[in-house]
Amino acid sequence: MGVQGLTSLIKDNSHIYRDVQFRDSRLVVDGSNLSFHLYCTAGLDQTYGGDYAAYENLIERFVKALRGCGIQPYTVKNGVSIFQCDDHTDKKLETKKKRAKARIQTAHKNSQGWRNGAIMPLMCISLFRQTLVRLEVPVVRCFLEADREVAALASDWKCPVLSNDGDFYIFDLPAGLLPIPHFQWQKAAQRRYVPCKKYTASGFCSFYNIQRRVLPAFAVLAGNDYVKLEDMGVSLRLEHPVRAPNISWRRSHLEALLCWLGDFQEPQEALVAALKLMGEVSREKEAEVLQRLSVGMEEYQLPPSALGRFFTDGTVPPLPPKDQGLVPDWIRLPFTEGRLDKVILNVLRLRRVRLPSMVEHGRLTSSHLTSRPIRQEMYGLLLGEEEVEEYDREGLLLTSRRVRVLMEALEVEPSCFQGVEPHLRLLVAVTCYWMQNASPTPDLELQHALLLGLVAAHTIQHVDELLSDVCVVALQVKNKNATQSPVYFVAHAFNQWQSCVMVSMQLNQLLGFPLPEPQTTVTNSIIKSLMLCGSNCLLLMFSRLCGGKLFHQLVHRLWGGVHPELLLTRTPSSLELYRTLLAAVQQPQHRRTTHSLEDLTANLEQLNLPDKDKEAARSAAHQPKNPSI
């Protein structure tokens, strides 16, 4: 993100940073950036389908470390997905398409055992927010991209930002930026402060002898996610000093640009002068370039924060003016609180969705195809007869297609929930759907492995019991391959299930939670007790949401001839639950009773009203529409 090459430039001139002992302060956290960094730098699984419990434990330890130093984090997350754009001009769309194409290639290579990039498992985003809410860490989701809101809130509160996004090197933050890679929170317990490095725009400008007001001009002339000179068919012809062999052209160009900007006091003055360094261009072209550069600089002008009052007294930020005719007002509160997924806002605003990449072989069809009927149901509730443009992959190519709405998703009859506790019902319904619609159809071993995983997700007690039994059987079964490598079609089946879970949770949110969301909690005592089972059983430790490693391990055990109930013989309660789930998913499946679009959409606003307003809304709904009748 941000100016390409700027982070590396600052890293090579590390004395721009100042060492600090951070404690006793508010901290505005770039949530999207932190969630990715925590998972992908901890060595957690990206191949089997996700180390969800390990990730949850990591988040808990991070929050505990901050609180032990008197640091109060306030987490701000993006309101647009990684492929959406923050306005209707799509000025970042091409940049994000390139990144999406790169992720498809990375996911394919990672499925073959390569490690040339990071792909977050599908449920990590939901788990990150859910864990923070459980730990009572304030979390808010923006309607647009979070960068400006994060910077504006930190500016109002005079506290630092925690992020690894290069855009924060340009914002003039009063308390500066704490780059995540230098934020040594793991050392906080012994010291009661977090050793870290602090960046300030004033320190950067002093080092390069330029005015702070000129930094936005530097960003747009160097090229960022919003504006690039090459996209406008022009280039900046600067005199580069002779560079050392180990210095890249990009770094040399940035340093030459910074040196040149030292002669200017105001950013607009620099932009006008830059036009003379672009060769022979027409007046019309000059006007176009100047206008686009000027608009690009506006991204770094901070408005008053719309989030401060939400954190202090619950005042919900208004919708952006351009969206007030597209997004119903009742969405504001549940969306800001995170009770509605960001995909809902993106569908309403842009009619565009990018489906997250998953680690899977490019020769297989996208796992998201299985969950498409569920998404169609959600699109229908939101848009009626309109279309949504979905971006996914076909093989290794980024593709898009128009998805018609109002097509019924295949669902189960309520009778299948007999005996199933409420917090497992959504996962049971999704599993029924997955067994009928996954391609290829999951074999019995895969089906039984997933049900065993759901037993593990039932309660803390059952997790302990099941994993203990699996450990015993693992020692009894003479398997020459103690640590099996992932099988790509097993990973593909699990990815299809996760995709169905993700979309079903989004639809469940939209409908006002007719089914409770699955819980994803874990305790340190269970983790410590499982460590005693030996290294061969470490693959089984983290089983939240039917963790990917547990799923693969169970499949291998069942392929080896182990009967699924053998894993549960020592724990009658788990065996009973397994049989209940098996009976539920083996019932004949039927489409649910079809309701009209008007019936369903009429309930959406009421479902998301505060509790005190719901009764009034229900009463109003039952009043005659025509008083004369």
Side-chain angles (χ1 to χ4, degrees):
M1 289 293 188
V3 177
Q4 182 183 357
L6 180 57
T7 301
S8 298
L9 176 66
I10 296 174
K11 180 180 178 182
D12 292 339
N13 295 287
S14 59
H15 39 286
I16 293 175
Y17 293 126
R18 183 164 61 90
D19 291 324
V20 296
Q21 299 175 356
F22 186 59
R23 58 158 68 112
D24 300 325
S25 172
R26 286 173 167 174
L27 178 65
V28 181
V29 178
D30 179 353
S32 302
N33 206 266
L34 176 65
S35 63
F36 182 88
H37 179 87
L38 285 178
Y39 193 96
C40 295
T41 60
L44 302 183
D45 166 63
Q46 299 179 34
T47 302
Y48 289 88
D51 273 350
Y52 293 122
Y55 185 43
E56 183 179 37
N57 181 260
L58 183 65
I59 298 167
E60 289 178 346
R61 290 191 286 113
F62 178 83
V63 173
K64 181 179 179 181
L66 266 57
R67 286 177 170 165
C69 301
I71 301 168
Q72 175 59 59
Y74 292 82
T75 305
V76 183
K77 300 196 67 181
N78 278 334
V80 290
S81 76
I82 201 165
F83 201 56
Q84 316 318 346
C85 300
D86 64 347
D87 64 13
H88 305 293
T89 64
D90 288 347
K91 57 191 173 184
K92 292 184 69 172
L93 182 57
E94 291 307 315
T95 297
K96 294 190 173 186
K97 281 184 179 180
K98 292 177 183 178
R99 291 174 181 161
K101 293 175 182 177
R103 277 189 297 274
I104 290 173
Q105 296 293 330
T106 297
H108 170 66
K109 292 178 180 178
N110 286 1
S111 74
Q112 298 175 296
W114 297 25
R115 287 294 179 271
N116 65 332
I119 300 292
M120 285 274 281
L122 203 60
M123 304 303 296
C124 283
I125 295 175
S126 298
L127 179 58
F128 181 75
R129 177 198 165 270
Q130 189 179 71
T131 304
L132 292 181
V133 170
R134 178 171 60 80
L135 297 175
E136 299 182 343
V137 174
V139 183
V140 67
R141 179 181 285 128
C142 299
F143 293 119
L144 303 177
E145 280 202 333
D147 292 359
R148 293 183 76 198
E149 285 295 343
V150 167
L153 180 61
S155 181
D156 283 2
W157 282 357
K158 303 295 189 295
C159 70
V161 166
L162 180 67
S163 179
N164 198 31
D165 192 319
D167 279 330
F168 291 106
Y169 290 116
I170 306 300
F171 291 116
D172 192 3
L173 303 172
L177 167 71
L178 305 181
I180 292 178
H182 302 292
F183 193 76
Q184 302 178 61
W185 60 271
Q186 300 91 337
K187 299 181 179 180
Q190 303 94 331
R191 310 184 186 193
R192 300 296 179 184
Y193 64 83
V194 178
C196 56
K197 293 185 182 295
K198 180 178 178 179
Y199 167 91
T200 60
S202 59
F204 178 84
C205 292
S206 176
F207 180 81
Y208 283 105
N209 196 28
I210 65 171
Q211 299 294 320
R212 275 189 288 176
R213 294 188 298 274
V214 177
L215 260 185
F218 164 70
V220 296
L221 290 173
N224 59 19
D225 290 344
Y226 295 94
V227 57
K228 292 181 174 63
L229 294 178
E230 55 266 31
D231 292 343
M232 293 182 276
V234 296
S235 60
L236 203 60
R237 301 176 182 178
L238 294 169
E239 291 187 8
H240 289 206
V242 178
R243 65 179 189 271
N246 61 332
I247 299 298
S248 68
W249 181 90
R250 181 64 182 172
R251 173 176 168 179
S252 177
H253 180 73
L254 293 179
E255 290 183 329
L257 177 58
L258 287 165
C259 181
W260 179 78
L261 286 169
D263 294 332
F264 301 98
Q265 299 296 313
E266 298 295 335
Q268 201 66 27
E269 177 189 4
L271 296 188
V272 173
L275 296 174
K276 299 177 182 179
L277 302 178
M278 296 178 185
E280 295 292 332
V281 295
S282 65
R283 289 188 177 181
E284 291 79 8
K285 188 67 173 179
E286 282 189 350
E288 176 199 349
V289 171
L290 184 60
Q291 192 270 338
R292 291 181 62 179
L293 292 175
S294 299
V295 170
M297 285 201 307
E298 293 176 3
E299 297 295 330
Y300 300 104
Q301 303 303 313
L302 298 181
S305 173
L307 301 181
R309 290 193 59 191
F310 179 79
F311 282 128
T312 56
D313 61 22
T315 300
V316 182
L319 287 165
K322 68 188 76 172
D323 293 327
Q324 291 177 1
L326 300 173
V327 180
D329 192 67
W330 62 264
I331 277 182
R332 290 192 303 129
L333 176 59
F335 183 85
T336 304
E337 292 178 338
R339 292 186 285 114
L340 287 179
D341 194 275
K342 61 186 177 183
V343 71
I344 292 170
L345 189 64
N346 291 326
V347 169
L348 289 171
R349 295 176 65 244
L350 301 170
R351 284 22 175 204
R352 183 189 300 127
V353 173
R354 190 196 70 81
L355 305 174
S357 297
M358 290 184 279
V359 176
E360 55 190 10
H361 200 284
R363 292 181 182 177
L364 298 170
T365 59
S366 169
S367 294
H368 291 297
L369 290 177
T370 305
S371 60
R372 176 176 290 167
I374 308 174
R375 294 195 302 276
Q376 290 170 332
E377 181 88 356
M378 181 171 64
Y379 299 157
L381 292 175
L382 290 169
L383 299 178
E385 290 291 343
E386 300 187 48
E387 295 180 334
V388 172
E389 185 179 12
E390 279 191 348
Y391 283 81
D392 195 7
R393 68 168 182 85
E394 189 169 326
L396 295 177
L397 299 177
L398 178 69
T399 61
S400 68
R401 70 180 70 207
R402 297 283 177 174
V403 178
R404 293 300 300 179
V405 298
L406 286 179
M407 295 176 63
E408 284 284 314
L410 296 176
E411 297 186 9
V412 297
E413 289 290 335
S415 59
C416 80
F417 295 139
Q418 184 175 359
V420 179
E421 295 193 18
H423 68 274
L424 279 176
R425 290 177 182 176
L426 180 60
L427 295 180
V428 166
V430 171
T431 303
C432 292
Y433 177 89
W434 171 78
M435 290 169 59
Q436 286 191 313
N437 294 277
S439 179
T441 301
D443 61 27
L444 287 177
E445 287 81 7
L446 270 64
Q447 296 178 25
H448 290 309
L450 192 50
L451 293 179
L452 289 169
L454 294 185
V455 171
H458 174 56
T459 65
I460 295 300
Q461 179 184 0
H462 288 158
V463 171
D464 200 3
E465 293 171 348
L466 175 63
L467 295 184
S468 176
D469 285 331
V470 175
C471 291
V472 170
V473 174
L475 296 176
Q476 293 174 346
V477 176
K478 301 299 182 181
N479 191 331
K480 295 181 180 180
N481 298 319
T483 55
Q484 300 95 342
S485 60
V487 180
Y488 67 85
F489 64 85
V490 176
H492 189 245
F494 187 66
N495 283 347
Q496 291 181 75
W497 183 78
Q498 286 202 93
S499 178
C500 294
V501 172
M502 178 189 72
V503 181
S504 297
M505 289 175 67
Q506 294 167 353
L507 181 58
N508 194 47
Q509 292 170 2
L510 182 62
L511 294 174
F513 299 96
L515 294 175
E517 284 198 322
Q519 297 301 305
T520 57
T521 58
V522 73
T523 63
N524 289 331
S525 61
I526 288 181
I527 293 176
K528 291 177 180 178
S529 65
L530 290 169
M531 296 288 280
L532 302 177
C533 296
S535 60
N536 185 46
C537 299
L538 292 180
L539 296 178
L540 310 177
M541 287 175 54
F542 306 121
S543 60
R544 306 270 58 85
L545 282 179
C546 189
K549 285 191 174 182
L550 174 62
F551 180 71
H552 281 76
Q553 190 81 332
L554 288 169
V555 169
H556 279 286
R557 297 296 181 224
L558 298 176
W559 280 347
V562 177
H563 192 278
E565 293 194 359
L566 178 62
L567 299 173
L568 306 170
T569 53
R570 296 194 307 119
T571 52
S573 58
S574 295
L575 180 59
E576 180 182 356
L577 175 60
Y578 172 77
R579 289 172 175 171
T580 299
L581 297 181
L582 184 62
V585 300
Q586 288 181 341
Q587 286 193 18
Q589 305 302 320
H590 305 283
R591 284 182 178 268
R592 66 163 174 81
T593 303
T594 302
H595 300 284
S596 70
L597 177 66
E598 291 76 13
D599 292 338
L600 290 169
T601 53
N603 290 325
L604 292 183
E605 180 171 355
Q606 180 177 330
L607 287 168
N608 287 280
L609 286 172
D611 290 339
K612 64 181 180 180
D613 298 329
K614 288 182 179 178
E615 186 60 38
R618 281 193 290 267
S619 299
H622 287 88
Q623 295 300 317
K625 295 182 179 179
N626 189 336
S628 64
I629 297 178

